[in-house]
Structure formats: C-alpha cells, structure tokens
Amino acid sequence: MPTASGYAAAAAKAPLGPFSFERRELRPNDVAIKILYCGVCHSDIHQARDEWGGGVFPMVPGHEITGRVTAVGGAVKKFKSGDLAGVGCLVDSCMQCDNCRAGFQQHCERGASLTYNGREQGTGAPTYGGYSDHIVVREEFTLRITHPEKDLAAVAPLLCAGITTYNPLVRWGAGPGKRVGVVGLGGLGHMALKLAHSMGAEVVQFTSSKNKIADAKRLGADRVVLSSDAAAMAAERNRFDFILDTVSAPHDMNTYLNLLRRAGVMTIVGVPEKPLEIAAFSLILGDRVLAGSAIGGLPATQDMLDYCAAHNIVSDIEIIPIQQINTAYERVVKSDVKYRFVIDLASLSPRG
Ligand code: NAP
Ligand code: ZN
C-alpha cells in the first residue's frame, strides 16, 4: 500500500507531529490526489483535542483539501491525471439510502465516512485527512475546481467553511430584500459574510473583536455590531430575517434569537464543546425558528464551488508551513486569524 506522510495528534490534546501511515491501493472508482493545500478548520481543533468525544487516534486532521490528481482507477470518468481537485469533509457513504440518493451524503443513514476521524465504508479502517501529502478518494466524493490555479490555496477553505455557510444561506433564501446577520467573524463567518453579500442580502456582521470591524466592512458587511456594545445590540432587536451563528465557544444564543423578526430563522453551525441554553421565550415571542445545518452533500458542495468561481469568491487566508500547525491552533482558539490558516503541504518535504 502507498505510504503517506503527514502530521497527526497521537492522542487527545497531544500536539501534532510527523506521522507516516498507509493509504489504500487505488480501487477502480478511486482518484489519487497529491495534496497541495489544506485549510485549518476549528473542527480540526475540536476533534484533535477530543472536545466532542469518541475521537479516533492517531488523528490526521484536515478536510479542506485542494490538490492535483496523480492517478485514477479504471472506472473513473470525471477526472484524469493532472486535473485540479478538491476534497471536503466526506470521502464516502453508502450511496443507497434515501438521504444519499437525494444528495445529502452528510446525513447517510448508515453513516458517512468523514475525511478524518472516521471509518472507511466496508473495511472500517480509520480515515486520515489532509494534513498529509496525498489522499485516495472515491470519484463521487472528489470535487471539480474551476477557479484559476493561482487561487488554489484560497479555494481550500471553501471545501468546509464555504459549503457550511452556503447551504443554510441558500436554504433560508438569503438574497435581495433580506436582512442577514452573521455571528462570529472567523473562518466560517467571513465566508458567510462574503456569500450573503454576493447573494444581494443586506448583511450585518456581529463580532466580539473590535479589531475586526474594518475588515468586516471590507468583506461586505453593510454594518458591523460589536457584541459587547449592549446599546448597539438592543438597537438590532426584531429586525432580522435570518441569522447564521458560527461561534465556536459558549455564548448567549438568546441575545441573537431576540434579534429575529417575526418568524425569522436562526441557524447554528458552530459546535461549542458544551450545550447552549435557550430561553423558551426567545423562540415563542415572535414565532421564531431555530435550525441547524451540517456541512453539505456533494451536489451542493460542487454548486458552491462553481458559484464561488463564477463570483470570484475565495477565502482570506494566512499560509503556513505544517511545522507551525500547533501555533496556528493556539491562534485560532484566540480568534486571531484573518481569516483561515491554510497549510502549504510542500513544507512536508524539503524538496516540496
Ligand atoms: P473560527 O475561525 O475559530 O471562528 C469562530 C469565531 O467565533 C471567532 O473568530 C470569533 O469571532 C467567534 N468566537 C470565538 N470564541 C468566542 C467567544 N467566546 N464568544 C464570542 N465569540 C467567539 O472557527 P470556524 O472554523 O469558523 O468554525 C466555527 C464553528 O463551526 C466551530 O465550532 C466548528 O467546529 C463549527 N463547524 C461546524 C460545521 C457544521 O457542519 N455545522 C462545519 C465546520 C465547522 P469574532 O472574533 O468575530 O467574535
Ligand atoms: Zn471544517
């Protein structure tokens, strides 16, 4: 089997370090990809630190992958060697159940195979993610990239941060005439802001970081509200059609629910370590709706990539060598990244 090199957390909360492991031999419907870039999602940190429990270690995180196809199995039709390709949060699913057939592979009734911290279909072997030099993925789970090649690093975060925010914005009709709030200006939040703005919605960014206000405006916010400013928050009550909450840490959701207009919808995509508390009145008053959203299926992910390519949308990134991954994690936890770290995998080997 082909040997891969990457970075892994050997155990929960252990710092990441070099790790060698086996990738499977190419099956007829597999695509082999040399990984060029991989985004650093806050979910990588939650899982490498086992904040959600049940982590499979050693863990090679990374589910925002872009690279170049190096080989394809005999039955592969959509990709050939040399093509650019992307891999997001999923590498396989049963493809038979109702959810898979409807294109919602993330909700596979038999359990989808996550790109890392998951299990392969059939064999049950652990999956290893994009902090590595190559990956082998079933064709149906490989995404086409139509952005210019020079954007490949900045496209990587679209594979998770992009689809996770695009899906609920589309589902709840963000567009002209709609007032959309985005809570948290991190990896997901800055994509939500760019996407909602591009869809023609009026977008208000909520942030706990004063030093991000100017950036939020540059990224497309019509207005920016500092969440610690009680008067400014009170002035926003009962005004929003839709709010997307991307915050990764415990926070008061009721404050944001109270900003929804009658029958307005708030979707949670952030996954804090501990449960969030909701006061019944925050929903009852105003007939408000609270929803959730998990990444996206393969058809929606391809739609999102094509939409972003057509609208010149990429992520704002800071490129790092893999050797800086542990420092990058610390900075993400402190909300100190503008706005996504992306690993340049050429740093894994001195010759690239
Ligand atoms: P991130 O880059 O760390 O962004 C999170 C943002 O939340 C921060 O930039 C910060 O924004 C705000 N924040 C952090 N701590 C806060 C606190 N204590 N109080 C208030 N605001 C705080 O993380 P990300 O990669 O965007 O991921 C966000 C969350 O979504 C994570 O929990 C991740 O696991 C989850 N996620 C979910 C899905 C899904 O399918 N649902 C997919 C991917 C990720 P400001 O500085 O602007 O306040
Ligand atoms: Zn992610």
Side-chain angles (χ1 to χ4, degrees):
M1 287 201 284
T3 301
S5 62
Y7 262 52
K13 297 185 172 59
L16 275 66
F19 177 63
S20 290
F21 59 99
E22 305 293 315
R23 293 286 189 195
R24 68 168 182 251
E25 297 288 351
L26 212 61
R27 297 172 184 160
N29 61 348
D30 274 344
V31 177
I33 299 166
K34 175 182 164 69
I35 300 175
L36 297 172
Y37 298 103
C38 185
V40 177
C41 179
H42 205 123
S43 299
D44 299 352
I45 304 171
H46 289 307
Q47 291 176 88
R49 296 180 175 180
D50 211 20
E51 291 173 356
W52 300 341
V56 182
F57 293 91
M59 186 187 297
V60 177
H63 57 204
E64 295 184 335
I65 298 166
T66 55
R68 192 178 295 286
V69 175
T70 53
V72 297
V76 168
K77 296 201 171 56
K78 290 185 304 185
F79 293 91
K80 58 179 187 331
S81 278
D83 286 351
L84 299 180
V87 181
C89 302
L90 304 169
V91 285
D92 208 349
S93 71
C94 83
M95 295 299 265
Q96 307 289 328
C97 71
D98 288 350
N99 285 341
C100 282
R101 290 214 302 238
F104 296 97
Q105 291 88 352
Q106 77 273 37
H107 299 302
C108 172
E109 290 164 25
R110 294 176 194 139
S113 299
L114 297 174
T115 301
Y116 68 88
N117 194 21
R119 301 270 173 197
E120 287 190 357
Q121 302 287 305
T123 68
T127 54
Y128 296 114
Y131 298 4
S132 60
D133 57 359
H134 77 280
I135 191 166
V136 176
V137 182
R138 186 174 165 174
E139 176 180 22
E140 293 94 325
F141 289 77
T142 308
L143 283 310
R144 282 187 313 279
I145 290 175
T146 54
H147 282 81
E149 189 169 337
K150 68 172 177 51
D151 290 340
L152 207 56
V155 167
L158 302 182
L159 276 306
C160 175
I163 183 58
T164 302
T165 52
Y166 177 85
N167 244 5
L169 289 168
V170 171
R171 175 178 174 194
W172 297 106
K178 295 286 174 71
R179 184 175 292 131
V180 169
V182 176
V183 187
L185 188 57
L188 267 58
H190 93 291
M191 289 313 309
L193 176 51
K194 289 185 185 206
L195 288 165
H197 176 70
S198 78
M199 291 168 184
E202 177 189 338
V203 196
V204 180
Q205 177 71 49
F206 295 90
T207 179
S208 63
S209 306
K210 208 172 189 172
N211 66 357
K212 294 181 183 173
I213 291 176
D215 275 348
K217 289 187 179 144
R218 174 181 61 80
L219 293 165
D222 294 283
R223 281 179 299 115
V224 186
V225 177
L226 202 54
S227 52
S228 55
D229 181 339
M233 290 295 287
E236 300 293 339
R237 293 184 90 154
N238 304 311
R239 309 183 74 232
F240 284 81
D241 298 285
F242 180 69
I243 295 177
L244 190 63
D245 184 344
T246 75
V247 174
S248 52
H251 61 290
D252 183 9
M253 282 209 316
N254 299 289
T255 314
Y256 295 100
L257 285 169
N258 287 325
L259 307 187
L260 293 172
R261 64 155 176 75
R262 185 188 62 76
V265 177
M266 178 155 118
T267 292
I268 306 175
V269 287
V271 193
E273 196 177 345
K274 299 211 171 72
L276 296 162
E277 275 185 22
I278 298 162
F281 277 124
S282 306
L283 291 172
I284 288 169
L285 300 178
D287 293 353
R288 295 169 176 131
V289 178
L290 178 60
S293 192
I295 47 174
L298 273 297
T301 306
Q302 190 64 61
D303 282 354
M304 175 278 308
L305 281 172
D306 296 345
Y307 175 90
C308 288
H311 291 80
N312 275 323
I313 295 174
V314 294
S315 175
D316 280 31
I317 60 169
E318 295 187 39
I319 296 187
I320 54 163
I322 193 137
Q323 292 77 9
Q324 286 177 16
I325 190 66
N326 293 303
T327 315
Y329 275 19
E330 292 308 323
R331 283 188 51 199
V332 172
V333 170
K334 286 190 278 184
S335 305
D336 173 27
V337 51
K338 293 190 170 177
Y339 281 87
R340 194 59 132 189
F341 286 115
V342 171
I343 304 163
D344 178 354
L345 271 312
S347 59
L348 257 180
S349 74
R351 281 170 286 117

